[in-house]
Amino acid sequence: MPTNAPVRTVGSLWWLLTGLVAVLCVASPSLAQSDERFDLAGSIELPRLVDLAAAVAGVPIVYDAGELRGAAVVRSSGNLTPDEVWRLAHQILAGRGFALVRKDANDPALSVVRLNDAATATATLRAGIEDFTSIGSPSFARIRIQVRHADATQTAAAISTVVGDRGVSPVEQTNEIMVTGQAGELVDALELVAQIDQPSASAEIRVYRLSTLTPETAATLARQVFDLSDGRPTSTSPARLFPGPDGVSLVGVGPATLLDDVGAFITDLDERSASETRVYQPGAFGAQRVAETIGTLLQDGDASVGQAPRVLVNELTGTLHVTASPQAHAAIVRILEELERIPPEAVRSTRSIIVSNRPVEQVADIIERLLTRGFVDASTQGGADSAVRPGDREEAGTAQPEVEITVDAEANRILAIGEPRQLDRVEALIDEIDQRQPQVMLEVFLVSLNEGESQDLGVELQYLVSDAGTLVGLTSLFGLSPVTPLDGGPALGGGAGGTAVVLDPGDFSAVITAIEQVSRGRSLSRPRVLVNNNEQATLDSVVEEPFLSTNASDTVATTSFGGSSQAGTQVTVTPQIAAGDHIILEYSVSLSSFTGDSADPALPPPRQQTGLSSRATIPDGHCIVVGGIEITSDANAESRVPLLGEIPLIGELFKDRSRSASRSRFFALIRAEVLRDTSFRDLKHLSRDALDAAEVDDGFPKVHPRIIR
């Protein structure tokens, strides 16, 4: 019966029938012990669950509808008995942080309260074991237990192993104990008191905590040495020794001297029981995940296992090497048995694996090739024969389920379907493959050097004779100076270079010319590109020269675009980072230029091209010459007057000499610098000069000092 319950409209026939059952159960409490069955599979609201529990138990339950909200999903085969419905309500409420308490010891009504407030909300009851195991009982209470024969203080110390120190305290001036806790803890406490509170002269109570031995093993060994009973009242032994409810302690009741001897024996026996190492085969779930599960369930300080086990994963064999106490090994075997009971079809799962640094298709192709070679099952081959196998999931000769790989290219991820053990190996391999590759800053220097030198030395003579109006001229001309239009003689100082002129107008003239030309040129092309390791970088800087194409027929000729010819700089480099930060370069460098005009519009212009390609290893951060070409030429030329120019000494006056020499050199240099900094500080440093020259902000925040007073 909710307090402040809002008005709700019954939305389905199922709730109407449930309400009818509740009314009938309240009217006739005996229905709680009837053969009535309830199907609660699916989602059920918490208030409706509490109402149904109250109906089947025949006990009023008060709750705040505004606080008790939400729904629970029940997965069952249906046909729950009233007792199962009651226990299900207890479990769901406890999971949501609620408890059922009795606020008045004389009123059977129960109230739903917060578990944190249950200790102050519950009344003090005098109850027995049956009061917490029957339908309609509270899930949390405070009870007074009458101790008739044993000492209340010592009995309270023994009960504290069940409910803790805060939940138990002796009542002053009485031989009673006040115990507060959940229903299961109270049942354990009542059973423990029933075993301790037996008639015995000068009996004391001792609690022996164990770290390696199980309580059953320690009790059996102690009974073989001492006259001890297992706690049954009919025994004639002077003392009783039985396992405590917490699973890691023994409780002894009897004479103090005998209990002291038993305690010394158990302590020595427990210390001598050293931890042992066992090898386990985790089965289909994968060694790493099973190790994490064991570590979570058997944490350090867990009372049931003592010290937390030490679990090592053998990645070569896929097994677990566990060093722990016998209690912990027993718990591990139980965990593995539970995992083995899961149906094979339920074990297979889907896992999404993000690929961050490489093309997802490339990674998937590598994984699929390895799957065809069976690498996911390699860990179970060899070295596992001695491993503990709680159960065999598959019979011998049955093929292991395959791993299915699907590529989600848009999200750059791989979807894998298989057993967790297989998926762990696939994910571990992808993590190893999908590493961020270092980047390489490549700087290519293409240098062209041209040197030329030429010398010219010549003599021109002219003699004019005039006889009876006839002008006769004798000359040796080599084009060193222009001819005077008036008299056909050389002009004064008309030539290039050093010139000496001797003139006797109308009679004789001579010109001596000497010239030397020296030229030096340098051309530098400096492309720069950033590329990932093992990726190809291409840089093209070319000029395209188009040409025409003519198609002629008997009647018409058609001219159209025939294509284009390229000339310029083309660089292709693929770096591979080797050991010691050496870099293996596979490069191709091409430098071309047009050398003149096209002889025909339908033909591309003539082009000169220099190229080189190779594979070499260079050190990180150094500028290295990777190739080059050198062209040299020498030429000597002589122009002379026939016969006269061949006369020794005098013949020099009738000659013109020239000499030329040239040298062209082309070098290709590459500097590669590996950038490994994960925060890209090295790349920021290399970019600083270019950013400053371009007057572009790098976008990074600026840090300025500030004085704080």
Side-chain angles (χ1 to χ4, degrees):
M1 55 183 67
T3 60
N4 299 330
V7 178
R8 293 184 176 89
T9 301
V10 178
S12 67
L13 181 60
W14 187 91
W15 290 116
L16 182 60
L17 294 176
T18 302
L20 181 60
V21 171
V23 172
L24 292 176
C25 289
V26 171
S28 179
S30 61
L31 290 178
Q33 287 78 34
S34 68
D35 294 333
E36 188 74 26
R37 296 292 187 269
F38 302 92
D39 185 5
L40 300 184
S43 178
I44 181 171
E45 295 183 358
L46 294 185
R48 303 284 74 76
L49 176 64
V50 173
D51 292 342
L52 181 59
V56 300
V59 176
I61 300 179
V62 181
Y63 61 89
D64 184 354
E67 186 176 5
L68 190 64
R69 296 180 178 179
V73 177
V74 180
R75 302 189 184 275
S76 70
S77 58
N79 300 325
L80 299 179
T81 65
D83 184 65
E84 290 172 338
V85 171
W86 183 256
R87 286 189 282 110
L88 178 63
H90 271 217
Q91 294 173 3
I92 293 178
L93 289 176
R96 300 299 177 90
F98 292 99
L100 290 173
V101 301
R102 188 170 294 162
K103 293 186 176 182
D104 188 347
N106 299 320
D107 186 358
L110 299 175
S111 298
V112 179
V113 298
R114 289 285 180 182
L115 191 57
N116 294 336
D117 303 329
T120 57
T122 180
T124 302
L125 310 177
R126 289 189 177 273
I129 295 176
E130 65 281 355
D131 295 320
F132 296 102
T133 57
S134 60
I135 189 171
S137 60
S139 63
F140 192 97
R142 180 170 54 250
I143 62 175
R144 296 172 69 104
I145 303 176
Q146 179 70 42
V147 181
R148 301 182 183 279
H149 305 286
D151 181 74
T153 302
Q154 295 182 358
T155 304
I159 296 176
S160 64
T161 62
V162 179
V163 298
D165 295 336
R166 296 183 179 180
V168 58
S169 61
V171 181
E172 296 181 359
Q173 299 180 352
T174 66
N175 208 34
E176 292 182 333
I177 302 173
M178 193 79 70
V179 182
T180 305
Q182 299 189 40
E185 298 173 337
L186 298 178
V187 170
D188 290 339
L190 290 168
E191 290 179 347
L192 181 59
V193 171
Q195 289 183 309
I196 294 175
D197 192 25
Q198 299 294 331
S200 177
S202 63
E204 292 193 7
I205 303 172
R206 302 288 174 83
V207 179
Y208 310 107
R209 292 190 176 274
L210 304 172
S211 58
T212 58
L213 290 175
T214 61
E216 293 79 8
T217 301
T220 301
L221 294 175
R223 293 190 194 109
Q224 294 175 359
V225 178
F226 300 96
D227 186 10
L228 301 171
S229 71
D230 58 0
R232 290 174 293 184
T234 57
S235 175
T236 58
S237 300
R240 299 185 303 278
L241 185 68
F242 49 89
D246 57 358
V248 293
S249 63
L250 284 173
V251 179
V253 181
T257 56
L258 179 58
L259 294 182
D260 291 340
D261 295 338
V262 172
F265 173 78
I266 292 176
T267 301
D268 182 68
L269 194 64
D270 189 47
E271 292 176 352
R272 292 176 180 270
S273 179
S275 299
E276 59 177 322
T277 301
R278 300 181 189 175
V279 181
Y280 293 92
Q281 176 60 257
F285 289 90
Q288 188 61 45
R289 288 183 176 267
V290 174
E292 294 174 357
T293 301
I294 292 174
T296 302
L297 297 179
L298 306 182
Q299 296 178 355
D300 195 5
D302 189 341
S304 61
V305 298
Q307 186 177 2
R310 182 186 179 198
V311 183
L312 297 178
V313 177
N314 188 336
E315 296 182 356
L316 296 178
T317 61
T319 55
L320 300 178
H321 295 248
V322 182
T323 302
S325 63
Q327 300 98 313
H329 281 297
I332 292 172
V333 170
R334 290 193 297 271
I335 293 173
L336 296 180
E337 287 176 346
E338 290 182 11
L339 296 178
E340 288 294 332
R341 283 194 291 270
I342 299 177
E345 61 275 8
V347 173
R348 289 174 63 84
S349 60
T350 302
R351 191 172 302 178
S352 174
I353 306 172
I354 300 296
V355 179
S356 304
N357 302 292
R358 299 185 63 175
V360 64
E361 293 85 358
Q362 186 182 79
V363 175
D365 182 62
I366 295 174
I367 297 300
E368 288 177 346
R369 289 203 303 268
L370 291 175
L371 288 175
T372 59
R373 292 168 173 80
F375 93 99
V376 294
D377 295 319
S379 63
T380 62
Q381 314 254 346
D385 292 339
S386 60
V388 177
R389 293 183 175 87
D392 293 330
R393 176 172 298 275
E394 298 182 5
E395 298 179 358
T398 303
Q400 294 287 336
E402 296 181 354
V403 178
E404 301 177 15
I405 297 294
T406 303
V407 174
D408 184 0
E410 294 184 357
N412 209 58
R413 62 180 178 176
I414 292 176
L415 302 176
I417 302 176
E419 293 183 350
R421 170 183 58 83
Q422 297 170 323
L423 298 182
D424 287 345
R425 288 182 60 84
V426 170
E427 186 171 12
L429 182 61
I430 291 178
D431 289 341
E432 186 175 349
I433 294 174
D434 186 33
Q435 299 292 327
R436 189 180 79 84
Q437 294 294 313
Q439 298 184 102
V440 180
M441 177 65 77
L442 293 170
E443 196 169 6
V444 182
F445 299 84
L446 303 177
V447 183
S448 296
L449 301 176
N450 298 303
E451 300 176 7
E453 183 177 351
S454 63
Q455 295 177 347
D456 290 295
L457 178 61
V459 178
E460 291 185 341
L461 299 176
Q462 181 177 356
Y463 182 68
L464 298 178
V465 178
S466 178
D467 185 12
T470 301
L471 182 64
V472 179
L474 302 175
T475 63
S476 61
L477 299 178
F478 303 103
L480 301 179
S481 60
V483 177
T484 304
L486 295 178
D487 56 7
L492 178 61
T499 304
V501 180
V502 179
L503 295 177
D504 186 2
D507 189 11
F508 173 80
S509 64
V511 177
I512 302 174
T513 302
I515 184 172
E516 181 179 20
Q517 294 179 342
V518 179
S519 63
R520 287 182 175 83
R522 179 177 181 268
S523 174
L524 173 63
S525 179
R526 189 178 176 182
R528 199 178 189 191
V529 64
L530 179 68
V531 62
N532 280 336
N533 183 34
N534 282 322
E535 298 289 343
Q536 179 177 303
T538 301
L539 190 145
D540 292 340
S541 177
V542 297
V543 175
E544 293 190 353
E545 185 72 23
F547 57 88
L548 302 177
S549 175
T550 302
N551 297 322
S553 63
D554 294 339
T555 59
V556 66
T558 304
T559 302
S560 61
F561 175 71
S564 61
S565 180
Q566 295 181 342
T569 303
Q570 295 177 310
V571 179
T572 301
V573 184
T574 302
Q576 177 184 346
I577 301 174
D581 272 352
H582 289 173
I583 303 172
I584 300 175
L585 285 182
E586 185 173 348
Y587 59 91
S588 175
V589 179
S590 176
L591 189 65
S592 59
S593 61
F594 295 116
T595 58
D597 295 332
S598 174
D600 188 282
L603 298 176
R607 184 181 64 166
Q608 179 185 2
Q609 179 172 341
T610 302
L612 56 93
S613 62
S614 183
R615 183 182 177 90
T617 302
I618 66 173
D620 174 31
H622 295 269
C623 189
I624 303 298
V625 177
V626 296
I629 186 173
E630 181 174 342
I631 302 174
T632 59
S633 63
D634 290 292
N636 291 301
E638 183 180 271
S639 301
R640 62 190 178 188
V641 177
L643 299 178
L644 296 178
E646 298 177 3
I647 300 175
L649 298 178
I650 297 177
E652 298 297 328
L653 299 176
F654 301 94
K655 293 181 180 179
D656 177 38
R657 292 182 176 182
S658 64
R659 183 179 66 85
S660 63
S662 65
R663 181 171 66 164
S664 299
R665 290 176 292 173
F666 170 74
F667 299 106
L669 303 94
I670 297 180
R671 177 165 57 204
E673 188 167 353
V674 179
L675 308 180
R676 295 186 180 276
D677 196 296
T678 56
S679 60
F680 301 100
R681 285 193 297 264
D682 43 12
L683 182 58
K684 298 174 187 176
H685 173 73
L686 293 176
S687 305
R688 186 173 303 154
D689 292 341
L691 291 171
D692 293 342
E695 298 181 356
V696 175
D697 186 9
D698 58 9
F700 297 108
K702 302 298 188 296
V703 179
H704 301 285
R706 177 178 296 180
I707 299 176
I708 301 177
R709 300 182 182 276

